[in-house]
Every structure is written in structure tokens, then in C-alpha cells.
Amino acid sequence: MQHQTTIDPVNLEFTPEVERATRAIFERVRHVMPDVEWPIHAPVIAAINELKRVRNATILAHNYQTPEVFYGVGDITGDSLALAQEGARLDTDVIVMCGVRFMAETAKILSPEKTVLLPDMDAGCSLAASITGADVRRLKEQYPGVPVVTYVNAYADVRAEADICCTSSNAVKIVESLKTDRVIFIPDGYLGRYVAKQTDVEVILWEGACEVHERFTAEELRGYRRDYPGIHIMAHPECPPDVLSEADFVGSTSGLIRHIADERPKQVVMVTECSMSDNVAVEFPDVDFIRPCNLCPHMKRITLPKILRSLQTLSPQIEIDPDTAERARRSLERMLAV
Ligand code: 13P
Ligand code: SF4
């Protein structure tokens, strides 16, 4: 496991050997990436894929990662729920999370014996940053006996105080699984409102927001309809309610992909993080994607050179206080059991 490598991420070259080793990946991504970029990415991709074998490492990549990460080095790709479910089953020594810190924490909580790497520890999330464990304790005092459902976009100390986690793909199901009249839903106020619309359960909200999805406006969506008659508009439930009302379909990142696979619309706009459309366009070359580009600055902190460096040095590693991790694991496992 502690094998040392001499790969230098600065002097990696686009040799014929690298070109051969990465050709199949290039063929997949070439229509969403300028050809001139490939000689820069390919040597790092080849080095990461080689080092993965040496380290017995698995790379988990969220749908918001750039195509060179998502298709170049990702072993398991998907939405937050899929990464949590698959990460829990992995038979590997090292997990590299190409996503943000709360996702890496999920992997560590579910696999405490594994080394979990996050190539940039500053890959945060405005939702996760909006609430602390102390805030949740205060909410519980204010609403005694009301169960707390936390969107998984929260740190371990918050999940440790919650009764159960949810993701955007199972939030309604999780809220209803509790069989209560009221729930406290944290930290995403917009997702909470979306859930409240789909259920009779009263939802007490926390006003956190995703800095990427809250930037979309209903007027912007009406503009797409004017400029592209017949366009199919799909939005993530982290968007504000008036934006969701303009959409033809609302779903988690994987829900949006499944919807495209089922409906095969001619032209779509995915009202969510920017890289997602590139990744999905690789799978559906016959669909025309109009791409608004709201980037998540946290997701974009994960780059190929940082992934390589992380595998070389086996750092930075996610560490969670064992008592907090144990309590957070219960709320995650309750979700996975629903
Ligand atoms: P999902 O992939 O679960 O839809 O989450 C979206 C998101 O914003 C993750 O940061
Ligand atoms: Fe957080 Fe939004 Fe970025 Fe997802 S897209 S990690 S919710 S800031």
C-alpha cells in the first residue's frame, strides 16, 4: 500500500504510449472537449489510472465533475445517492472522492477502515456551510419530538444530530417514511419547499441554499422557451420554486439523466450545474443540449493534477471524530434502508 511512485505531474508527456492508452476515452469525450485539450489531460489520466491499480484505489465521481475527470478516471459515477450506495459496497483500500467534502465524509462514515481522499479539502458546499450541529440542537429544542431529516449536503456533525438523511432523489420518500405529521428539514430551504409540495407532511424549513441553483431565474427559463420553441426544460429541486414551476420536469441529477433516456427530447436545457450537460451529452449525442453555465466553484476544485497528487501522497485524507461518525452513520444507514 505505501508503494512510492516517481510520476511527476508537471512533466508528464503526451507520448505515443499515452495516446494509445487513452484513445478509447478520447473517442468518448471528443465531441464535448476541444481536441487541443486532450494532449494536456491524457498523460495525467494515464498516470492516475496506472496509480489506481498500484494503490488498489477506486475513484468516485459526481455528475458535476468535468468530462476529463468523470470519463477519464471515474470508476463509479452518479448522483449523491448512487455514490453513497456504491461507496459502501466497495472492496478497495483507497477511495478518492471527486466531488465535495460532504460526499467524501459520507464515504468515510460508511467505510471507516478505508483511506478516503479528497483531492482538495476546500471543496465545500454553500448548503453544508449554512448549518452546524449546534443549530440542529437548537431546532430540536424549539420543536421537541419532531424528527430531523437532513439533506445529505451537510457535514458529519449535522448528520450526527439528525434522525435520517436524504438526497434529492429520495427526499419525499424519506420524509413520508417517518410516518409523522411534521418534520424539520435541513439545510436546503428550496428542496424543503419542493418536498412540502409533494406531501401532506408539514415541513419546517431551514433557509440554506445552493449558490449554484439559486442563481437561476424564472425569467431566464422563459427566455429559453422564447429562443428555442419546443425545448424541454429540466431542473434540479435545489432551484427556487418559481424556477421549478417553469420546468417540464424536476429531478435529482440521476433523475434528469433517466428522464432524457426515457423521453429522448430533441432539445433540452438542464437547469443545474454546468458540467452535467457535457457529461450527459456524451451519452446522448442525438440530443441537442442548450448549456447555461452556472459552475459550482467547489466541484471545480477537483482537477486531474490534484487527483494524481492525492494518489501519490495519499493525502488529504478525511478524518472524522469516531463518536460523531458513528452517530452520523446511523442517520445515513437509516436512509439506505428505506
Ligand atoms: P444530486 O446528485 O444528489 O442530485 O445532488 C446535487 C448536488 O448539488 C450535489 O452537490
Ligand atoms: Fe453544494 Fe450546490 Fe455545489 Fe452541490 S452544486 S456542491 S449543493 S454548492
Side-chain angles (χ1 to χ4, degrees), residues 62 64 100 102-103 124-128 151 153 188 209-213 238 273 295-299:
H62 186 263
Y64 293 164
V100 293
F102 73 80
M103 295 177 180
C125 169
S126 64
L127 278 170
Y151 189 28
N153 298 34
D188 189 342
C210 162
E211 67 190 86
V212 179
H213 292 91
E238 288 173 9
E273 209 270 350
L295 285 168
C296 173
H298 309 288
M299 289 280 177

Side-chain angles (χ1 to χ4, degrees), residues 21-22 25-26 28-29 33 38 41-42 44-46 48-49 52 59 61 66-75 77 279 304 307:
T22 57
I25 303 169
F26 178 55
R28 272 192 103 184
V29 299
M33 185 182 292
W38 193 246
H41 296 316
V44 197
I45 289 173
I48 291 170
N49 287 336
K52 265 194 315 202
I59 295 189
T66 51
E68 68 273 15
V69 171
F70 191 85
Y71 289 108
V73 300
D75 299 301
T77 55
N279 292 332
L304 290 171
I307 298 166

Side-chain angles (χ1 to χ4, degrees), residues 25-306:
I25 303 169
F26 178 55
E27 290 306 327
R28 272 192 103 184
V29 299
R30 66 184 309 174
H31 83 276
V32 297
M33 185 182 292
D35 281 12
V36 289
E37 281 188 19
W38 193 246
I40 303 164
H41 296 316
V44 197
I45 289 173
I48 291 170
N49 287 336
E50 188 191 310
L51 196 49
K52 265 194 315 202
R53 281 189 283 280
V54 174
R55 295 288 198 209
N56 187 25
T58 303
I59 295 189
L60 272 51
H62 186 263
N63 289 328
Y64 293 164
Q65 292 293 300
T66 51
E68 68 273 15
V69 171
F70 191 85
Y71 289 108
V73 300
D75 299 301
I76 292 175
T77 55
D79 68 358
S80 316
L81 181 61
L83 297 185
Q85 286 169 332
E86 297 298 324
R89 291 188 205 120
L90 286 176
D91 179 19
T92 191
D93 293 323
V94 178
I95 292 176
V96 185
M97 178 56 73
C98 295
V100 293
R101 185 153 66 87
F102 73 80
M103 295 177 180
E105 287 194 354
T106 303
K108 184 68 184 175
I109 290 164
L110 294 173
S111 305
E113 74 294 350
K114 295 190 176 95
T115 299
V116 176
L117 305 172
L118 180 63
D120 187 328
M121 274 298 171
D122 290 331
C125 169
S126 64
L127 278 170
S130 74
I131 191 162
T132 64
D135 292 326
V136 186
R137 285 192 291 279
R138 273 192 294 276
L139 280 170
K140 289 198 288 192
E141 276 166 29
Q142 205 180 334
Y143 300 99
V146 180
V148 179
V149 179
T150 183
Y151 189 28
V152 78
N153 298 34
Y155 294 122
D157 61 330
V158 167
R159 297 189 223 176
E161 297 294 341
D163 293 279
I164 191 163
C165 292
C166 74
T167 71
S168 52
S169 57
N170 63 14
V172 178
K173 192 163 113 186
I174 296 290
V175 164
E176 296 198 329
S177 76
L178 297 171
K179 311 270 180 249
T180 50
D181 298 338
R182 293 210 290 180
V183 299
I184 299 168
F185 190 94
I186 56 170
D188 189 342
Y190 292 141
L191 179 63
R193 283 179 178 81
Y194 174 72
V195 170
K197 276 190 140 181
Q198 327 282 313
T199 175
D200 291 333
V201 179
E202 185 191 340
V203 181
I204 299 162
L205 300 168
W206 180 261
E207 296 296 352
C210 162
E211 67 190 86
V212 179
H213 292 91
E214 74 173 346
R215 289 209 303 270
F216 290 104
T217 64
E219 181 45 38
E220 197 180 338
L221 270 59
R222 287 192 287 273
Y224 292 127
R225 286 210 199 280
R226 276 194 302 273
D227 296 346
Y228 305 96
I231 196 166
H232 197 65
I233 300 185
M234 309 190 317
H236 193 280
E238 288 173 9
C239 293
D242 59 335
V243 171
L244 297 183
S245 322
E246 292 290 336
D248 299 305
F249 179 80
V250 176
S252 72
T253 56
S254 292
L256 301 181
I257 299 170
R258 269 195 307 276
H259 185 71
I260 292 182
D262 293 345
E263 301 294 320
R264 295 296 174 127
K266 279 199 179 59
Q267 194 174 45
V268 300
V269 56
M270 298 180 100
V271 183
T272 188
E273 209 270 350
C274 183
S275 295
M276 167 108 178
S277 298
D278 289 337
N279 292 332
V280 185
V282 169
E283 302 294 338
F284 301 99
D286 50 326
V287 178
D288 179 19
F289 289 83
I290 304 303
R291 294 174 167 82
C293 209
N294 284 3
L295 285 168
C296 173
H298 309 288
M299 289 280 177
K300 286 335 47 125
R301 282 184 175 275
I302 308 300
T303 60
L304 290 171
K306 286 185 199 168

